[in-house]
């Protein structure tokens, strides 16, 4: 374990390590806030212990909330001593590149649009838009081909899954047409 | 052998034309999705879960078994034909496999992987059929205190043994426990962490958690770091191998199986350690040690068999105890729950027919896989060239479809998005995903068992260590619970114990360990593989 921390530290030393650390402290803040939320929520519970339930619903969330805060502190200490996250590698991942914030935000936007539109427009339209928008956000520039694939995919999944296999997907405004 | 009779009944259920067709669809779709780069077996099962929603439980499970083995096989194809392995379990297969492929022996590498997977899968499934009932018999004798202890052990094992940082493992586990708290408390009916939102009353569906963390989180993480340069795919013909290759492969297959199965069956054994052990063993025993580092077939045959046998091994605790020991098993458990089947020690008693049909379809799926994949390999290789925008747009598309289909509600898509962001953050900050998913699944069960144990002891803390003997009315400590707590303590204190051992260990043994470490290092050229070495 200490070995891995050391190698991670070395590889990170080549890059500017200060902004990475700030982000790591952000994780500590997130964990602390989450712990506080869990604790505050636990305090409103009415812990009437009974013979059937000698513990009550309160102690477990109190424990989990406390552990979240303890772990946040432990992580802060570890990070201040130079412990660095090992970002996950993968087949299509190039960790030497900077984080592509724009692509991620665009994808999130497309995803949120799908959440808002799915019940009204139905899966065929909103799912198609989700695929089309995501492909464009990820850098595809074949506008016509992408549109055709999106339409084919959303129609195929709707007919295949919703009508064929009985999976519950909404028809939306196309109700009666499909 | 009554088990044999049950297994034959299972085959009778699984071998109807409809169910065979479902197994076939599962295998084909599972392989196709599993081959896609960036999609590991766990994500394959999570993404394809909704496909099975319309089916009745038996058919759904049979299809899932096909998807499971298909996804496993697809992953190894990817790692042989691409030079950057994805999931940790196929990292070792990739070392020699990719070297073989580069030197024009891709067909033989795929053939030994396919046949090794089949051998390991078949033996592994036989072992499941043998061990699952035995473990179940033992499991039924356990009460609430023992269960509580065993589940705590599962927590500690997946958190402290796997992964490179214990601290980050525990953070992931606690996040999972927090997600598991959401919903109405099962005993008192009080709402916890629901913030007045009625849809949260039933808790967050494990399928939504799995799809969010595995699929959406991964897609967003890749999108943030997408390799702009196209990866190089090695062209491949139909897999085949000659007599010489077969002669060099069969022993590694068997040894790999023997190493993989036990590691898969214990909590946190995983596939990484047995695949590495198999690699080292084969290198030691090989008559052609000079081939290692240039593409030795033993280095593909052994680890690939170990990988598949380990996957089969995870089914034993999953079916007999309801304990997930790897990510794929966690998703399979989520699937069982979503079909309305309660996993746990009573599964084999209550749903015996279903479980044996599942085991039988593991045999069938595994064999279909071999028959299909030898001729289809060139087609799978083409899938590796799918344009990346389509691949990751497709993951978002199918993830949304699956999450929506769980309850037919767009609220689950909001949860999916939130969990996807958590998954993205976890990958960025090196938090392992397995402890989180295990925390979500087991957290509520641990609380329930702990509270039941305390109920039996009228609230006294010793209720967690044993129970009242029905016959005598005296309190008795449970041997099983005590032993499990001792193991937990050992696992937690392991770094300290290891230091002590090192001091006490004679210098000779120490240098032997270092030799092995160096040897592995010499083999592992790829810097990405370095992190795996530390597991040894």
């Amino acid at each position: 374990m200490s070995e891995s921390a050391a190698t991670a530290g070395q590889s990170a030393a080549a890059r500017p390590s200060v902004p990475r650390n700030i982000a790591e402290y952000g994780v500590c803040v997130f964990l602390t806030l989450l712990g506080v939320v869990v604790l505050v929520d636990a305090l409103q519970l009415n812990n009437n212990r009974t013979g059937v339930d000698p513990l009550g619903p309160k102690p477990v969330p109190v424990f989990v909330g406390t552990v979240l805060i303890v772990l946040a502190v432990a992580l802060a200490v570890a990070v201040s001593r130079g412990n660095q996250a090992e970002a996950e590698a993968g087949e299509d991942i190039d960790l030497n590149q900077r984080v592509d914030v724009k692509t991620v935000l665009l994808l999130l936007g497309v995803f949120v649009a799908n959440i808002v539109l799915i019940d009204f427009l139905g899966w065929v339209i909103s799912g198609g838009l989700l695929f089309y928008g995501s492909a464009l956000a990820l850098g595809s520039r074949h506008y016509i081909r992408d549109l055709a694939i999106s339409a084919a995919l959303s129609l195929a999944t709707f007919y295949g899954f919703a009508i064929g296999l009985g999976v519950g997907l909404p028809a939306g405004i196309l109700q009666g047409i499909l | 052998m009554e088990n044999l009779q049950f297994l034959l009944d299972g085959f009778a259920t699984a071998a109807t034309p409809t169910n065979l067709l479902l197994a076939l669809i599962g295998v084909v779709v599972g392989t196709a999705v599993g081959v896609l780069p960036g999609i590991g077996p766990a994500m394959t099962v999570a993404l394809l879960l909704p496909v099975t929603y319309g089916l009745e439980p038996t058919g759904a499970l049979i299809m899932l078994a096909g998807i499971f083995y298909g996804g496993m096989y697809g992953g190894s194809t990817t790692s042989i034909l691409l030079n950057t392995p994805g999931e940790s379990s196929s990292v070792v297969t990739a070392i020699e496999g990719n070297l073989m492929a580069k030197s024009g022996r891709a067909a033989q590498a795929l053939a030994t992987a396919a046949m090794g997977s089949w051998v390991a899968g078949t033996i592994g499934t036989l072992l499941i059929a043998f061990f699952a009932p035995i473990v179940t018999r033992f499991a039924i004798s356990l009460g609430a205190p023992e269960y509580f202890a065993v589940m705590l052990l599962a927590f500690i094992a997946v958190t402290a043994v796997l992964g490179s940082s214990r601290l980050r493992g525990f953070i992931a586990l606690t996040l999972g426990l927090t997600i598991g708290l959401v919903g109405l408390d099962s005993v008192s009916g009080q709402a916890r962490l629901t913030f007045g939102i009625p849809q949260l009353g039933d808790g967050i569906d494990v399928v939504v958690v799995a799809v969010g963390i595995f699929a959406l989180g991964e897609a967003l993480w890749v999108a943030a770091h997408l390799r702009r340069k196209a990866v190089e795919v090695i062209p491949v013909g139909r897999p085949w191998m000659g007599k010489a290759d077969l002669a060099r492969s069969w022993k590694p297959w068997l040894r790999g199986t023997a190493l993989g199965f036990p590691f898969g069956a214990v909590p946190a054994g995983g596939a990484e350690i047995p695949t590495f052990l198999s690699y080292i063993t084969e290198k030691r025993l090989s008559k052609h040690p000079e081939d290692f580092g240039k593409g030795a077939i033993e280095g593909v045959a052994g680890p690939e068999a170990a990988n598949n046998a380990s996957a089969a091994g995870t089914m034993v605790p999953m079916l007999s105890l309801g304990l997930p020991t790897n990510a794929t098993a966690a998703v399979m458990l989520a699937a069982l729950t979503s079909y309305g089947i309660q996993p746990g020690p009573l599964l084999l008693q209550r749903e015996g027919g279903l479980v044996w049909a599942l085991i039988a379809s593991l045999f069938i799926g595994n064999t279909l896989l071999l028959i299909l994949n030898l001729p289809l390999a060139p087609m799978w290789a083409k899938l590796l060239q799918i344009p990346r925008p389509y691949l990751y747009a497709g993951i978002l598309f199918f993830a949304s479809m699956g999450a929506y289909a769980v309850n037919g509600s767009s609220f689950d898509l909001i949860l999916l998005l939130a969990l996807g962001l958590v998954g993205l953050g976890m990958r960025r900050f090196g938090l392992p995903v397995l402890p989180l998913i295990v925390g979500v699944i087991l957290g509520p069960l641990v609380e329930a068992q702990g509270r039941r144990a305390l109920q039996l002891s009228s609230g006294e803390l010793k209720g967690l260590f044993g129970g009242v003997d029905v016959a005598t009315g005296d309190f008795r400590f449970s041997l099983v619970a005590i032993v499990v707590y001792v193991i937990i303590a050992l696992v937690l204190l392991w770094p300290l114990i290891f230091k002590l051992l090192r001091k006490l260990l004679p210098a000779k043994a120490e240098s032997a360990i270092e030799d092995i470490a160096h040897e592995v290092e010499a083999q592992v050229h790829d810097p990405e593989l370095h992190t795996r070495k530390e597991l040894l």
Side-chain angles (χ1 to χ4, degrees):
Chain A
M1 229 177 347
S2 57
E3 223 179 296
S4 77
T7 47
Q10 276 163 16
S11 64
R15 281 173 261 147
S17 61
V18 179
R20 280 185 78 90
N21 274 339
I22 290 176
E24 299 247 1
Y25 288 122
V27 179
C28 304
V29 173
F30 171 79
L31 291 174
T32 312
L33 289 178
L34 187 64
V36 170
V37 169
V38 174
L39 284 177
V40 168
D41 183 80
L43 290 180
Q44 53 85 30
L45 291 170
N46 170 19
N47 208 41
N48 50 346
R49 297 181 199 164
T50 58
V52 188
D53 184 18
L55 193 66
K58 207 168 181 173
V60 174
V62 169
F63 173 77
V64 171
T66 315
V67 170
L68 278 170
I69 294 172
V70 170
L71 287 174
V73 174
L75 182 65
V77 172
V79 170
S80 72
R81 286 184 184 170
N83 181 314
Q84 290 261 357
E86 261 181 77
E88 201 181 270
E91 283 138 347
D92 282 339
I93 293 170
D94 183 358
L95 287 175
N96 296 319
Q97 275 173 194
R98 295 185 69 83
V99 175
D100 187 349
V101 179
K102 194 181 132 206
T103 302
V104 175
L105 287 180
L106 280 172
L107 284 179
L108 292 177
V110 174
F111 198 91
V112 170
N114 177 48
I115 296 177
V116 176
L117 297 174
I118 188 166
D119 285 321
F120 173 62
L121 292 180
W123 172 248
V124 175
I125 297 179
S126 84
L129 286 177
L130 173 67
F131 186 89
Y132 190 59
S134 306
L136 291 187
L138 286 161
S140 179
R141 290 294 171 266
H142 304 272
Y143 301 101
I144 309 290
R145 186 177 84 181
D146 295 356
L147 198 60
I149 293 177
S150 308
L153 201 58
S154 60
L155 280 169
T157 48
F158 187 80
Y159 281 108
F161 295 131
I163 295 175
L165 287 170
V167 174
L169 293 171
I173 51 168
L174 295 180
Q175 183 85 48
I177 300 172
L178 288 168
Chain B
M1 279 299 281
E2 58 173 352
N3 289 349
L4 199 66
Q5 185 54 48
F6 287 137
L7 186 59
L8 288 177
D9 292 345
F11 270 107
T13 316
T16 62
T18 321
N19 286 344
L20 278 178
L21 183 68
L22 289 174
L24 184 70
I25 297 175
V27 166
V28 173
V29 179
T31 314
V33 176
V35 163
L36 295 172
I39 303 188
M43 206 216 281
T44 306
V45 179
L47 275 179
L48 291 176
L49 202 50
V51 176
T52 64
Y53 276 173
L55 304 168
E56 36 84 43
T58 314
L61 266 184
I62 287 171
M63 196 158 162
L64 204 67
I67 293 173
F68 169 68
Y69 270 139
M72 291 283 309
Y73 178 82
S76 64
T77 307
T78 319
S79 62
I80 289 171
L81 297 180
L82 287 182
N83 44 9
T84 48
E87 50 279 3
S88 51
S89 54
S90 35
V91 164
V92 183
T93 309
I95 304 174
E96 296 296 321
N98 194 244
L99 289 169
M100 279 182 77
K102 275 185 181 150
S103 60
R105 287 179 23 97
Q108 287 80 356
L110 287 180
T112 199
M115 295 182 67
S117 297
W118 182 79
V119 170
T122 304
I123 298 177
T125 311
L126 269 178
L127 292 173
I128 297 172
F130 180 73
F131 280 112
I134 296 178
V135 180
T136 299
R137 219 165 294 147
F138 167 72
I140 291 173
S141 71
L142 301 179
E146 289 90 357
Y147 264 109
F148 181 73
V150 168
M151 288 184 197
L152 280 188
L153 174 63
F155 276 166
I156 302 298
V158 293
T159 308
V161 180
L162 300 178
S164 57
S165 162
R166 287 178 161 218
L167 174 60
R168 287 172 204 270
F170 277 111
I171 291 173
L173 175 69
T174 317
L175 286 175
L177 293 177
T178 310
I179 296 172
L181 279 177
V182 175
L184 300 181
D185 171 44
S186 60
V187 186
S188 69
Q190 293 190 66
R192 295 193 297 198
L193 291 174
T194 60
F195 310 105
I197 302 167
Q199 289 98 322
L200 285 178
D202 291 334
I204 300 176
D205 199 288
V206 183
V207 176
V208 177
V209 179
V211 174
I213 299 285
F214 286 113
L216 197 59
E218 178 76 13
L220 291 174
W221 174 238
V222 174
H225 291 276
L226 189 59
R227 204 185 285 276
R228 292 295 169 195
K229 206 175 56 187
V231 286
E232 179 198 345
V233 180
I234 298 159
V236 61
R238 184 182 169 144
W240 61 276
M241 58 180 168
K243 262 190 182 161
D245 287 325
L246 190 65
R248 284 174 67 175
S249 291
W250 70 271
K251 280 183 193 161
W253 290 339
L254 295 180
R255 284 191 288 257
T257 307
L259 280 171
F261 190 85
F263 272 97
V266 298
E272 288 91 345
I273 299 170
T275 47
F276 245 114
L277 286 179
S278 161
Y279 183 86
I280 294 169
T281 315
E282 295 316 327
K283 198 183 168 208
R284 283 275 157 101
L285 296 175
S286 171
K287 290 195 185 102
H288 310 272
E290 73 283 356
D291 279 2
F292 276 78
K294 291 183 225 148
I297 197 162
E298 294 94 335
V300 181
E304 187 51 25
N307 182 14
N308 246 41
S310 149
T314 58
M315 304 291 273
V316 172
M318 187 194 111
L319 291 175
S320 56
L321 295 165
L323 284 186
T325 53
N326 71 3
T328 318
V331 181
M332 300 263 289
L333 274 182
L336 284 180
T337 326
S338 74
Y339 303 145
I341 302 164
Q342 187 61 48
L346 296 176
L347 180 66
L348 204 56
Q349 275 187 347
R350 284 196 201 136
E351 309 272 2
L354 201 74
V355 174
W356 287 106
L358 172 69
I359 295 176
S361 41
L362 287 174
F363 276 108
I364 296 173
N366 195 29
T367 305
L368 284 175
L369 205 58
L370 182 71
I371 301 170
L372 271 179
N373 280 328
L374 291 179
L376 286 183
M379 197 185 95
W380 300 140
K382 285 216 180 70
L383 276 180
L384 292 174
Q385 278 152 338
I386 181 175
R388 295 308 183 258
Y390 294 159
L391 173 57
Y392 293 101
I395 293 178
L396 291 178
F397 178 88
F398 282 101
S400 306
M401 190 186 92
Y404 188 94
V406 175
N407 295 314
S409 128
S410 54
F411 180 76
D412 279 335
L413 289 180
I414 300 175
L415 288 179
L416 183 72
L417 180 62
L419 290 160
L421 289 172
V422 171
L424 171 69
M426 292 177 75
R427 285 168 174 83
R428 160 68 179 79
F429 294 107
L431 302 175
V433 292
L434 178 60
L436 179 136
I437 204 91
V438 169
V440 175
I441 293 178
L442 290 186
L445 296 175
V446 167
E447 185 185 358
Q449 295 289 0
R451 279 159 83 172
R452 189 171 307 155
L454 289 173
Q455 175 197 335
L456 296 174
S457 69
S458 317
E460 284 185 67
L461 205 57
K462 69 179 180 187
L464 296 180
F465 298 93
V468 176
D469 194 311
V470 187
T472 58
D474 296 333
F475 181 83
R476 279 225 311 237
F477 281 103
S478 153
L479 183 66
V480 176
I482 304 284
V483 168
V484 172
Y485 284 123
V486 170
I487 298 174
I488 292 177
L490 284 177
V491 172
L492 284 177
L493 295 174
W494 177 244
L496 274 175
I497 300 170
F498 189 68
K499 266 185 202 157
L500 263 176
L501 278 180
R502 272 199 117 142
K503 272 186 194 159
L504 299 175
L505 221 60
K508 214 174 171 184
E510 176 134 346
S511 69
I513 293 175
E514 301 234 317
D515 277 354
I516 296 177
H518 282 305
E519 206 171 297
V520 174
E521 193 163 3
Q523 289 303 327
V524 182
H525 311 292
D526 195 328
E528 274 184 42
L529 303 181
H530 272 283
T531 47
R532 294 296 147 203
K533 184 199 73 209
E534 282 138 26
L535 284 169
L536 292 172

